[in-house]
Amino acid sequence: MLKIWLSLFGFMLALGYWIYQFFITSPDAFGMQFRFLTHWGLSLAMVMHFLNWRSRKQGIPDQRFALMAMVAVLNILVVFLYWRLFFIDPALINGDKTPIWHQEYYLHLLGPAILIIDAIWLYRAFNAFWRGAIATTLLCLVYILWIELLVEPLNSEPIGAVSAGLPYPFLNDMVMSERLNFYAVTTGTALGFCVICWIVSMVSGWIARPRSQAH
């Protein structure tokens, strides 16, 4: 029952904020809100919560381990990158715009937390470690190709010292070699989070096992 209600709660919140983006995002920029990794995380979380709610309501065992692990790691990466850059300089990620406070904390704290709790402790998604790691790597590659081959050429803002159109202001201050290095480090960081989640999942499973056996 906890799994059903958590996935339903997560889905309703994610759906509300997903729809909300269409009211606050200008349609002038190619890709709109989907230029941003945060909104990839939101969209995939919404889909994952819905699939979980539907299958759990029908009594179908959790089985989308690679997808769940990938979406959880993506949201961890979003939280990590956002707050790391925010505390260096908010303009690196927000430019000259002031973020909406409740959206900022949902997208970069509450929403990911709900998904991560489900993925690690309820879904046990990281039991399929290698499939999750491969899916995460492919997702990172797809997003990089998306912003480099489509978003950057088809947008004129934000403007940086080197280029224009890439969704995050700091990327437009980097030459291609610097961006490639950043993408490689970021993908490696995502895989590092896969390992951390797998370890946490295994350790928590070992701790819980004696208790279940005792009963």
Side-chain angles (χ1 to χ4, degrees), residues 114-135:
I114 295 171
L115 188 71
I116 293 161
I117 289 169
D118 194 352
I120 294 177
W121 286 285
L122 299 178
Y123 207 104
R124 294 288 177 182
F126 292 92
N127 288 349
F129 172 78
W130 288 110
R131 283 184 288 159
I134 292 170

Side-chain angles (χ1 to χ4, degrees), residues 120-121 124 126 129 192-207:
I120 294 177
W121 286 285
R124 294 288 177 182
F126 292 92
F129 172 78
F193 285 132
C194 282
V195 173
I196 293 171
C197 289
W198 175 77
I199 292 172
V200 172
S201 179
M202 292 301 101
V203 170
S204 62
W206 292 334
I207 292 173

Side-chain angles (χ1 to χ4, degrees), residues 34-55:
F34 300 103
R35 293 173 294 156
F36 302 100
L37 189 64
T38 299
H39 296 286
W40 280 46
L42 172 63
S43 300
L44 289 171
M46 178 185 66
V47 172
M48 197 72 237
H49 282 309
F50 174 76
L51 293 175
N52 290 349
W53 170 74
R54 187 178 64 177
S55 61

Side-chain angles (χ1 to χ4, degrees), residues 47-192:
V47 172
M48 197 72 237
H49 282 309
F50 174 76
L51 293 175
N52 290 349
W53 170 74
R54 187 178 64 177
S55 61
R56 288 166 174 176
K57 191 172 183 292
Q58 296 172 348
I60 301 172
D62 296 332
Q63 54 190 347
R64 303 179 184 90
F65 298 107
L67 179 61
M68 185 66 169
M70 178 194 74
V71 178
V73 169
L74 172 60
N75 278 270
I76 293 172
L77 186 65
V78 164
V79 171
F80 173 77
L81 291 175
Y82 181 85
W83 292 112
R84 178 176 175 269
L85 293 168
F86 182 89
F87 286 121
I88 294 172
D89 182 358
L92 289 174
I93 198 162
N94 293 318
D96 57 358
K97 299 178 181 177
T98 302
I100 302 167
W101 71 269
H102 60 86
Q103 175 178 264
E104 182 176 34
Y105 286 104
Y106 170 76
L107 292 176
H108 305 109
L109 194 60
L110 177 61
I114 295 171
L115 188 71
I116 293 161
I117 289 169
D118 194 352
I120 294 177
W121 286 285
L122 299 178
Y123 207 104
R124 294 288 177 182
F126 292 92
N127 288 349
F129 172 78
W130 288 110
R131 283 184 288 159
I134 292 170
T136 298
T137 303
L138 291 175
L139 179 67
C140 290
L141 179 60
V142 170
Y143 180 74
I144 292 166
L145 293 174
W146 160 247
I147 62 173
E148 287 288 342
L149 300 182
L150 290 172
V151 173
E152 191 270 342
L154 297 175
N155 286 292
S156 58
E157 293 182 347
I159 300 172
V162 175
S163 63
L166 290 164
Y168 297 104
F170 73 94
L171 289 175
N172 294 291
D173 292 330
M174 295 179 174
V175 298
M176 177 58 77
S177 60
E178 293 174 325
R179 296 205 302 272
L180 290 176
N181 181 67
F182 174 77
Y183 297 147
V185 170
T186 300
T187 303
T189 302
L191 293 176

